[in-house]
C-alpha cells in the first residue's frame, strides 16, 4: 500500500450544486454488452434494460443515503454494477436488484469517480473531500479487498479513466491537473496542468495515444498525453463542459455543457497544432435546455446517452433524434 502527497498547491473547487427537490443524474454508465443502462437518480440507481427500445423497462436500486456521483459496470461479469455516494460504495447484482455487498471501510469522503481495470479485476475509486484532497483507492474484485490507496490530488477527483491497453490510469481534478499512474506499480508517471479551472471529465482514445478533457473553463481539449502536449481545442464554447466521451471505435467524441448543448466531433485530425475549426468536424447534436451532467455512448458512437440536472435521461442518435426518454 502506498500513500503519497501531491506536490500541487490546493485550489479549492466545489461539487456541482443541486437545487432543493432536484434528483439529478450525475452519473451514467452502459454495460459492456450495451443491453443495460445505469443512471443515478438522486440517491437511487435506475437500471434500464434495452434502453434504446420503446420496449425498455427500468428498475430502481436503493442503497445510498445521499446523491450518487459515480457508476461503473464490471466489463467482464454480466449484471455486476458499482455505485458510489458519500462514504459508501455499493456492489449490485442488477438481475436480482439487490446489493451483493456494501463498502464503507476507508471511505471518508464523496465517491466522485469509479472505473474498472480492463480485465475487470480491479475497481478504481476517486474518494474526494473538496478543497482538501482526492484519494485513489484500488479494490480487488470480487474479493473487495483494498489493494492500494494514495493521495493523488489536493482537490476533488471528478473523473478517472484507464488506457485501453490497461497500463495507465488517469485522474482529473478540481486542482486543474491530470495525473497518470502506472497500474502495476501505482507510481506516478507524469502530471499536466490541463485547464484553467476544474477538470470535469476525461476519456482516452481507443489507440492509447490521445486524451480528451472537458473543463469548466469552457474548453474541450485533446492531448498527446504521453508527452504532455496539447494538440488542439475542439470548438469554441461559451459554457462550462461537464461531460465528454471518446467512442470506442475512435471515430467520434461527444461533449455536453452546463446549459444543455450536446456536441459531436468527427473527422478528428491526426496532426498537432491545428486550429479548433480544423481539428475536427463539429455538429451540435441537440439543445436539451437542461444542464448535461453525464453522458456516454455505445461502442460505435451511434447511440448517445445523456443524463441531466433534472434527472431526465435522453437516448439520441448522432443527428439528435430522440429514441427514448426516461423522466424522474
Amino acid at each position: 500500500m502506498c500513500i503519497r502527497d501531491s506536490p500541487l498547491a490546493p485550489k479549492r473547487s466545489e461539487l456541482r450544486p443541486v437545487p432543493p427537490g432536484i434528483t439529478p443524474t450525475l452519473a451514467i454508465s452502459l454495460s459492456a454488452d450495451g443491453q443495460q443502462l445505469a443512471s443515478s437518480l438522486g440517491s437511487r440507481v435506475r437500471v434500464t434494460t434495452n434502453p434504446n427500445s420503446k420496449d425498455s423497462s427500468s428498475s430502481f436500486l436503493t442503497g445510498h443515503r445521499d446523491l450518487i456521483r459515480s457508476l461503473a459496470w464490471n466489463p467482464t461479469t454480466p449484471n455486476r454494477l458499482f455505485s458510489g455516494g458519500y462514504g459508501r460504495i455499493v456492489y449490485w447484482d442488477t438481475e436480482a436488484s439487490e446489493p451483493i455487498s456494501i463498502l464503507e471501510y476507508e471511505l471518508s469522503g464523496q465517491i466522485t469517480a469509479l472505473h474498472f481495470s480492463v480485465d475487470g479485476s480491479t475497481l478504481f475509486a476517486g474518494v474526494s473531500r473538496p478543497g482538501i484532497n482526492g484519494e485513489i483507492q484500488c479494490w480487488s474484485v470480487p474479493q473487495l479487498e483494498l489493494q492500494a490507496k494514495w493521495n493523488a490530488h489536493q482537490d476533488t477527483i471528478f473523473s478517472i479513466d484507464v488506457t485501453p491497453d490497461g497500463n495507465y490510469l488517469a485522474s482529473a481534478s478540481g486542482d486543474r491537473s491530470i495525473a497518470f499512474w502506472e497500474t502495476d506499480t501505482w507510481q506516478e508517471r507524469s502530471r499536466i496542468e490541463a485547464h484553467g479551472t476544474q477538470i470535469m471529465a476525461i476519456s482516452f482514445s481507443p489507440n492509447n495515444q490521445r486524451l480528451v478533457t472537458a473543463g469548466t473553463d469552457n474548453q474541450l481539449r485533446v492531448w498527446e498525453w504521453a508527452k504532455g502536449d496539447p494538440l488542439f481545442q475542439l470548438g469554441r464554447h461559451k459554457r462550462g463542459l461537464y461531460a465528454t466521451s471518446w467512442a470506442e471505435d475512435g471515430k467520434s467524441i461527444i461533449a455536453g455543457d452546463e446549459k444543455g448543448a450536446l456536441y459531436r466531433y468527427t473527422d478528428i485530425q491526426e496532426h498537432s497544432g491545428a486550429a479548433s475549426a480544423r481539428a475536427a468536424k463539429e455538429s451540435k447534436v441537440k439543445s436539451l435546455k437542461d444542464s448535461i451532467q453525464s453522458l456516454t455512448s455505445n461502442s460505435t458512437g451511434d447511440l448517445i446517452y445523456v443524463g441531466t440536472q433534472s434527472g431526465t435521461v435522453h437516448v439520441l442518435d448522432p443527428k439528435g433524434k430522440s429514441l427514448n426518454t426516461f423522466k424522474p
Side-chain angles (χ1 to χ4, degrees), residues 129-141:
R129 294 184 296 166
I132 300 174
N133 75 327
E135 182 178 88
I136 294 177
Q137 295 188 1
C138 309
W139 295 82
S140 65
V141 178

Side-chain angles (χ1 to χ4, degrees), residues 215-219 237-242 256-259:
T216 57
D217 58 359
N218 308 346
Q219 292 191 8
H237 301 278
K238 297 180 180 180
R239 308 290 183 182
L241 296 139
Y242 283 168
D257 73 19
E258 60 184 325
K259 290 297 182 181

Side-chain angles (χ1 to χ4, degrees), residues 8 14 26 51 83 87 100 104 108 121 130 143-144 146 153 160 167 175 209 214 219 241 259 279 282 289:
L8 295 177
E14 296 181 356
L26 299 178
S83 59
I100 298 170
E104 293 182 311
S108 58
S121 66
Q143 299 87 353
L144 300 182
L146 184 63
H153 296 271
I160 288 176
N167 292 334
D175 66 13
Q209 297 177 4
Q219 292 191 8
L241 296 139
K259 290 297 182 181
E282 179 186 84
K289 298 180 181 179

Side-chain angles (χ1 to χ4, degrees), residues 37-311:
L37 181 73
S39 56
S40 65
L41 185 61
S43 62
R44 296 183 296 164
V45 180
R46 173 171 44 196
V47 178
T48 305
T49 303
N50 300 321
N52 30 298
S53 168
K54 293 299 182 182
D55 295 326
S56 62
S57 60
S58 294
S59 60
F60 293 87
L61 310 178
T62 302
H64 289 272
R65 295 182 289 260
D66 71 339
L67 295 177
I68 296 168
R69 296 184 180 272
S70 51
L71 294 166
W73 290 97
N74 190 314
T76 60
T77 307
N79 302 311
R80 294 296 184 266
L81 174 73
F82 283 83
S83 59
Y86 183 80
R88 175 177 289 191
I89 296 173
V90 182
Y91 184 26
W92 299 97
D93 178 342
T94 59
E95 185 175 32
S97 295
E98 62 183 25
I100 298 170
S101 59
I102 296 175
L103 298 176
E104 293 182 311
Y105 172 70
E106 296 279 355
L107 300 176
S108 58
Q110 292 278 359
I111 316 304
T112 48
L114 290 172
H115 204 286
F116 266 97
S117 61
V118 173
D119 64 4
S121 66
T122 305
L123 178 72
F124 304 110
V127 184
S128 303
R129 294 184 296 166
I132 300 174
N133 75 327
E135 182 178 88
I136 294 177
Q137 295 188 1
C138 309
W139 295 82
S140 65
V141 178
Q143 299 87 353
L144 300 182
E145 296 176 349
L146 184 63
Q147 301 296 304
K149 67 174 183 177
W150 64 90
N151 289 326
H153 296 271
Q154 291 191 358
D155 209 330
T156 302
I157 296 173
F158 285 108
S159 185
I160 288 176
D161 199 12
V162 176
T163 53
D165 63 9
N167 292 334
Y168 295 98
L169 168 73
S171 54
S173 172
D175 66 13
R176 312 179 190 182
S177 76
I178 300 172
F180 301 93
W181 315 90
E182 298 173 352
T183 54
D184 55 350
T185 66
W186 314 120
Q187 296 299 307
E188 183 174 334
R189 180 194 186 278
S190 59
R191 186 181 295 259
I192 54 177
E193 188 162 328
H195 285 257
T197 57
Q198 56 195 24
I199 303 164
M200 303 305 297
I202 56 175
S203 183
F204 281 109
S205 65
N207 65 5
N208 280 309
Q209 297 177 4
R210 294 182 172 191
L211 181 76
V212 61
T213 66
T216 57
D217 58 359
N218 308 346
Q219 292 191 8
L220 186 67
R221 310 184 73 182
V222 175
W223 301 79
E224 189 174 0
W225 69 269
K227 296 181 179 179
D229 293 339
L231 295 179
F232 42 74
Q233 294 183 38
L234 293 175
R236 300 187 184 279
H237 301 278
K238 297 180 180 180
R239 308 290 183 182
L241 296 139
Y242 283 168
T244 189
S245 180
W246 206 313
E248 290 180 19
D249 64 1
K251 295 181 180 180
S252 63
I253 293 171
I254 52 175
D257 73 19
E258 60 184 325
K259 290 297 182 181
L262 180 66
Y263 298 90
R264 184 171 183 261
Y265 296 89
T266 54
D267 300 330
I268 302 163
Q269 300 300 309
E270 293 298 325
H271 59 83
S272 62
S276 59
R278 301 175 184 174
K281 179 181 177 181
E282 179 186 84
S283 59
K284 189 173 182 179
V285 177
K286 201 173 187 69
S287 180
L288 297 173
K289 298 180 181 179
D290 187 1
S291 179
I292 294 174
Q293 300 289 307
S294 55
L295 57 77
T296 191
S297 66
N298 66 344
S299 59
T300 57
D302 57 0
L303 292 171
I304 303 171
Y305 307 90
V306 183
T308 65
Q309 177 79 356
S310 70

